[in-house]
Amino acid sequence: MTVTEAVEARRSVRGFLDTPVDPALIRALVERAARAPSGGNLQPWHIDVVGGAALDGFKAELAAALAAGHKETPAYAIYPLALDDPYEARRRAIGEAMYGHIGIPREDRAGRRAWFARNFAFFGAPVGLFCTVERGMGPPQWSDLGMYLQTLMLLIVEAGLAACPQECWAIYPETVTRFLGTPAERMLFCGMAIGYEDTSEPANALRSERAPLEDWATFRFD
Ligand SMILES: Cc1cc2nc3c(=O)[nH]c(=O)nc-3n(C[C@H](O)[C@H](O)[C@H](O)COP(=O)(O)O)c2cc1C
């Protein structure tokens, strides 16, 4: 597989088979992804991978907390409070496209909420991954986390696996970091569901759009 093929093939997958993933494979991918660049070679990422009975226990704990209406202060604001267009329009468009694929209309708010809650079961994936970072790290280091995570997702694709990055976990930072035993000086950035794609899941048929190049890039060679 070429890099171009991996980049084209990667999508956020939101439905997984319960086929187990070889822990040695995940370990190798997590390690290899650290070839990602980082400013000053800080390598500011911290990664926790959870599977097996530990993941089952965590998911059960989360499900019980959700059912009880448990709420936490989010780790950070996932989006700016005032999200202007074109960003707000893009966010709305991907939401509508996704719920359109699954067939949950806008009026069915409970249905959409319930579907969103599948995030907290890692969409059925047998492996969950969390990325944390020292609280003192700033935007440049957070961008390093993105480089790491995209490198990992491309390696995941190359290995025949699929993934969904998940910032939704920032809504429950206390539960996640307590479970992981994360030291207080570190905060949660995001999670990631990893496993073999369930191709029968309608949500997985979604191919997200991208804004045209002219909207966000300029080129000058004069
Ligand atoms: C940092 C990050 C966090 C994300 N968090 C979530 C999430 O919590 N739940 C979810 O279903 N998708 C999540 N996504 C997936 C995005 O919705 C997705 O990347 C975007 O719509 C583009 O689609 P694609 O990944 O299929 O190309 C996240 C993506 C990124 C990069």
Side-chain angles (χ1 to χ4, degrees), residues 117-139:
R118 292 173 55 167
N119 264 292
F120 299 111
F122 288 104
F123 298 110
V127 176
L129 176 149
F130 292 103
C131 177
T132 58
V133 62
E134 268 80 8
R135 292 179 189 280
M137 296 295 184

Side-chain angles (χ1 to χ4, degrees), residues 10-12 14 94 119 123 164-168 189 208 210:
R10 188 215 55 81
R11 305 167 284 109
S12 295
R14 300 182 177 89
I94 191 66
N119 264 292
F123 298 110
C164 184
Q166 297 179 288
E167 58 204 353
C168 64
F189 169 36
S208 57
R210 293 295 185 269

Side-chain angles (χ1 to χ4, degrees), residues 5-86:
E5 285 166 345
V7 168
E8 291 289 339
R10 188 215 55 81
R11 305 167 284 109
S12 295
V13 163
R14 300 182 177 89
F16 294 85
L17 302 174
D18 53 16
T19 311
V21 179
D22 179 2
L25 172 62
I26 291 289
R27 196 186 166 88
L29 300 178
V30 165
E31 185 174 26
R32 192 167 302 140
R35 294 309 309 172
S38 56
N41 203 20
L42 259 58
Q43 306 159 66
W45 43 78
H46 292 268
I47 302 296
D48 289 279
V49 182
V50 189
L55 184 64
D56 293 342
F58 178 65
K59 283 201 274 193
E61 183 185 331
L62 232 297
L66 285 177
H70 175 72
K71 293 228 174 350
E72 295 177 9
T73 305
Y76 55 90
I78 291 179
Y79 301 109
L81 266 165
L83 194 59
D84 296 329
D85 283 342

Side-chain angles (χ1 to χ4, degrees), residues 26-202:
I26 291 289
R27 196 186 166 88
L29 300 178
V30 165
E31 185 174 26
R32 192 167 302 140
R35 294 309 309 172
S38 56
N41 203 20
L42 259 58
Q43 306 159 66
W45 43 78
H46 292 268
I47 302 296
D48 289 279
V49 182
V50 189
L55 184 64
D56 293 342
F58 178 65
K59 283 201 274 193
E61 183 185 331
L62 232 297
L66 285 177
H70 175 72
K71 293 228 174 350
E72 295 177 9
T73 305
Y76 55 90
I78 291 179
Y79 301 109
L81 266 165
L83 194 59
D84 296 329
D85 283 342
Y87 309 109
E88 177 56 25
R90 289 176 190 165
R91 182 166 73 149
R92 224 176 306 116
I94 191 66
E96 288 311 314
M98 200 183 71
Y99 287 116
H101 264 79
I102 317 162
I104 307 178
R106 185 193 286 265
E107 312 79 68
D108 185 1
R109 295 179 73 86
R112 288 191 171 195
R113 260 199 310 275
W115 206 90
F116 179 79
R118 292 173 55 167
N119 264 292
F120 299 111
F122 288 104
F123 298 110
V127 176
L129 176 149
F130 292 103
C131 177
T132 58
V133 62
E134 268 80 8
R135 292 179 189 280
M137 296 295 184
Q141 290 76 45
W142 277 60
S143 92
D144 296 338
L145 302 184
M147 303 212 191
Y148 174 85
L149 294 167
Q150 169 69 342
T151 304
L152 176 62
M153 287 190 282
L154 295 178
L155 292 170
I156 281 171
V157 167
E158 186 192 41
L161 290 158
C164 184
Q166 297 179 288
E167 58 204 353
C168 64
W169 289 104
I171 302 172
Y172 297 107
E174 290 158 36
T175 303
V176 173
T177 55
R178 192 182 334 109
F179 170 73
L180 298 176
T182 309
E185 59 272 19
R186 264 198 256 146
M187 65 179 287
L188 178 66
F189 169 36
C190 71
M192 186 185 289
I194 303 171
Y196 292 98
E197 177 178 351
D198 178 0
T199 51
S200 71
E201 166 56 56

